[in-house]
Amino acid sequence: MVRNTNIVIAAALVAVSPAAHAQDDTGSRIVTSADVTVSDGTTYRASTEYQAPDRAEYLQQFPDMTMRFAIDGEAVSVWRDGEALTRFPAGIGIWALGHQFHAQLTGFAEINGGIIAVTPYDGEGDCPCTEYRGRLSAEDMGIEGYGLVVSNQSGRAQRFFVHRRDQDPVSTTFDDWRIEADRELPYRVVIDDGEDVYDFRFSSIEFG
């Protein structure tokens, strides 16, 4: 969750099949809305709009504050209650792309700067699985890279890991899969960062 610029990473990237990692559909506009409940009792509304890796926006609407993270070309901006912030981590744009959960379906490799490793994964979930590691990182925020775990049998994403420096990875699972715009997408994303659990319940996922 983000409240002002004190950032706890709660990012997820999803894909429904190994082929989706190389798929390039990122010209589509993707808009999502979700209600988020945190294990500490916090609630907020999360909204995203995605057009490309350099054209994306993430909005958090808390009861007492609104945070907006925008990527426009090479520029990244952060707004709190409509006021632009002048100080924020250099990697905040990469962090914001991590919240474009469903956009990752249509261009994981492009969004993450390519895939640098493909390794077997035999942990929890519908495994045996394969973990895909993206090139994208934000060292100033402790993000060493993203890992996407996909079932070799069903093709569904089983886990998403945010690999962190000197910490256990953030672990994300997916649930409530539905067909939307000819794609099978999760309408529930649950993120465990080792301290808090973030439960995203999506009410809208639109492609256009």
Side-chain angles (χ1 to χ4, degrees), residues 164-183:
R164 301 184 291 181
R165 183 176 58 248
D166 301 326
Q167 297 183 73
D168 290 335
V170 175
S171 180
T172 299
T173 57
F174 312 102
D175 199 3
D176 192 12
W177 294 82
R178 308 179 197 176
I179 300 297
E180 184 69 41
D182 298 323
R183 300 171 177 87

Side-chain angles (χ1 to χ4, degrees), residues 156-157 173-178 185-190 200:
R156 282 184 174 177
T173 57
F174 312 102
D175 199 3
D176 192 12
W177 294 82
R178 308 179 197 176
L185 303 170
Y187 270 68
R188 186 181 184 192
V189 176
V190 178
F200 287 71

Side-chain angles (χ1 to χ4, degrees), residues 11 158-162 168-173 190-194:
Q158 301 297 301
R159 289 284 188 279
F160 173 75
F161 294 123
V162 181
D168 290 335
V170 175
S171 180
T172 299
T173 57
V190 178
I191 303 162
D192 186 346
D193 68 5

Side-chain angles (χ1 to χ4, degrees), residues 103-182:
Q104 297 294 335
L105 280 171
T106 59
F108 182 86
E110 180 181 7
I111 293 170
N112 292 281
I115 295 172
I116 60 173
V118 179
T119 57
Y121 176 86
D122 291 315
E124 294 180 293
D126 182 19
C127 290
C129 300
T130 299
E131 180 176 357
Y132 297 84
R133 286 290 298 267
R135 185 180 305 278
L136 203 63
S137 65
E139 292 294 337
D140 64 311
M141 297 181 65
I143 303 175
E144 295 186 332
Y146 297 134
L148 180 64
V149 176
V150 178
S151 169
N152 296 343
Q153 300 179 27
S154 68
R156 282 184 174 177
Q158 301 297 301
R159 289 284 188 279
F160 173 75
F161 294 123
V162 181
H163 293 285
R164 301 184 291 181
R165 183 176 58 248
D166 301 326
Q167 297 183 73
D168 290 335
V170 175
S171 180
T172 299
T173 57
F174 312 102
D175 199 3
D176 192 12
W177 294 82
R178 308 179 197 176
I179 300 297
E180 184 69 41
D182 298 323

Side-chain angles (χ1 to χ4, degrees), residues 28-41:
S28 298
R29 179 173 175 266
I30 306 171
V31 179
T32 74
S33 295
D35 290 308
V36 186
T37 302
V38 189
S39 56
D40 67 2

Side-chain angles (χ1 to χ4, degrees), residues 8-9 14 19 39 51 70 78 101 103 130 147 150 169 174 189 201-202 205:
V8 176
I9 302 166
V14 299
S39 56
Q51 296 182 60
V78 181
F101 305 146
T130 299
V150 178
F174 312 102
V189 176
R201 305 279 184 131
F202 287 87
I205 304 171

